[in-house]
Every structure is written in structure tokens, then in C-alpha cells.
Amino acid sequence: LATGPRQNNSIFYEIRTYDIKPSKMKDFAEMVNKHFHLRTAHSELVGLWSAELGAMNKVVHVWKYDSFAHRTAVRHALANDKDWQGKFISAALPLIEKQHNEVAYMVPWCELGKPPKEGGVYEWVTFRMKPGGPALWGEAFQAAINTHISAGYSKLIGIFHTEYGLLNTVHVIWWNESPDHRAAGRHSAHEDARVVAAVRDSVRFLESQENMLLIPLPHSPLK
């Protein structure tokens, strides 16, 4: 991550975030449950969640693509899929207040993980790093993440570094058995000298950070 290429292949991930009208969140979730199989028939869905804490009426979904040409072909196919357009898009768009997307690569020292079991919650943490890219802050950030992993307070799912969108942004996804399990892990981490030292070194490159607690929707491969 520090100085070399992000990865040795063309695979990337599109992170799409929808803000749903507050009175329409239930309707949107029902439409997703009923028709989202029409979308996943076209390309690989990594995860699909609704925000529980840290944001409200927000849906986050992550898609995997082999290349930009692959994404273009998928988007073209979706535009011409009458079932998808008629049963989902035409009915869903009036329920959505805002859409946002980013393109991100998985950092090369991380592989996409899976939770040890179903039924947990996901913490989505977004770090805005100082301009300069991974050549500036990559080593310290990697050390901080690896310290959290070795401490074992939560399960790492993936780390994404933006290519399009707000640059110098890193999204980290963690899995916990429950919100209380996550709270207990955070408390232990704050008293762990290894974690404190690694975080203290990395925060000098940090501009800001925010997080959300996410609940997987039924169509999400990560449950």
C-alpha cells in the first residue's frame, strides 16, 4: 500500500449509497426483498445493508467488477432489462432522496473476508486521510489495522481505498456478533497499549473519520 500499485489485477468495487425518504424506508426495503434478484443476475453483489446507527434511512451496497469495461457492459444490460427497469427502478426512484457512488480498490494486503457466522452486525468506518496518498500514510495505517486484527476484538471484512469519489478515503468494514459485542471490544481496545500506540502513530495522517452500524438485508451475501 505504501508505494506500490494498489493491486495486481483490474478488479474494483463500486460503493453505492442511497438516502431513502424517511417515510418510504419500509417500502424501499420491501421492494429490495421482492425484486433485487433481478439486479444480482447481472453482476456480483458483495454486501447490502441498511444503516442502524450513525446514519438513518440509508442503504449501502457494494458491487464487484472485473474491469471498467465489465461495469459498462453491466450498466448497459441493466438499462435494457425491462423487468429490472419496470419492476424496481421505476418504482424505487421516487423513494430515493439522494444517490452517491464511489469506485474503490481493495488494498493489496487485505483479502475480502467473511463473518464466522450469520446474524451479526457490520461497522463501516470511513477515514479521510491527509492528501498525499498511501505513499504518505499507508504504512502507519496498515500498522494500525493489523494491530486491531491481531488483538481480535472484531473480525475484519475488507479495506477499500477510493479511486473515484472523495480521494484519500479509506473504508474499513468490521463484523461483530452484536452492538454490545462491538462496544465491549472497543472498550478493551482503548485500554490495550498495542492498539493505543499504533493508533497514535496513524492519526497524524488523519483528517476525519466517521462510522455507521449496518444491518445486512436479506439479499446480502454478507449476512
Side-chain angles (χ1 to χ4, degrees):
L1 178 66
T3 57
R6 290 188 181 90
Q7 56 186 34
N8 58 8
N9 57 51
S10 61
I11 293 172
F12 68 85
Y13 299 83
E14 183 179 7
I15 301 166
R16 299 178 70 93
T17 304
Y18 294 171
D19 291 325
I20 311 301
K21 293 179 180 179
S23 63
K24 300 297 183 181
M25 186 63 194
K26 182 174 182 292
D27 294 338
F28 186 84
E30 289 176 351
M31 288 186 57
V32 168
N33 292 342
K34 186 175 182 180
H35 297 302
F36 217 62
H37 67 282
L38 298 171
R39 174 62 185 86
T40 55
H42 287 274
S43 64
E44 182 179 348
L45 176 66
V46 174
L48 173 66
W49 303 271
S50 63
E52 180 72 14
L53 297 172
M56 298 181 69
N57 305 302
K58 190 181 293 289
V59 173
V60 180
H61 37 129
V62 179
W63 300 90
K64 181 180 179 181
Y65 292 101
D66 297 332
S67 66
F68 288 99
H70 178 213
R71 180 185 183 275
T72 297
V74 169
R75 300 303 298 175
H76 179 77
L78 288 168
N80 290 282
D81 185 330
K82 293 182 179 179
D83 277 348
W84 173 245
Q85 295 294 328
K87 294 179 180 179
F88 186 85
I89 293 296
S90 61
L93 285 179
L95 312 182
I96 301 173
E97 286 192 329
K98 185 171 61 175
Q99 295 174 292
H100 176 73
N101 78 332
E102 295 174 296
V103 166
Y105 291 107
M106 183 79 68
V107 298
W109 42 272
C110 173
E111 295 183 356
L112 190 64
K114 293 183 178 181
K117 61 181 180 180
E118 294 185 4
V121 297
Y122 293 79
E123 183 183 10
W124 183 289
V125 189
T126 298
F127 299 88
R128 316 290 187 193
M129 309 303 292
K130 291 183 181 296
L136 175 68
W137 43 258
E139 185 176 339
F141 187 84
Q142 180 179 354
I145 292 293
N146 284 341
T147 302
H148 279 84
I149 294 171
S150 62
Y153 299 123
S154 60
K155 166 71 174 177
L156 179 68
I157 299 300
I159 306 172
F160 304 89
H161 177 215
T162 55
E163 179 73 8
Y164 286 96
L166 188 59
L167 297 179
N168 296 298
T169 300
V170 181
H171 300 291
V172 183
I173 308 175
W174 300 94
W175 178 89
N176 287 277
E177 291 184 11
S178 68
D180 286 320
H181 181 264
R182 184 261 178 194
R186 291 288 292 173
H187 180 77
S188 298
H190 291 160
E191 296 182 346
D192 188 322
R194 300 167 298 169
V195 175
V196 171
V199 169
R200 183 179 292 122
D201 185 53
S202 67
V203 295
R204 57 198 170 102
F205 301 112
L206 183 66
E207 293 281 5
S208 66
Q209 66 187 95
E210 58 186 321
N211 69 344
M212 298 182 290
L213 190 72
L214 303 177
I215 305 298
L217 294 174
H219 275 282
S220 179
L222 292 173
K223 297 187 183 298

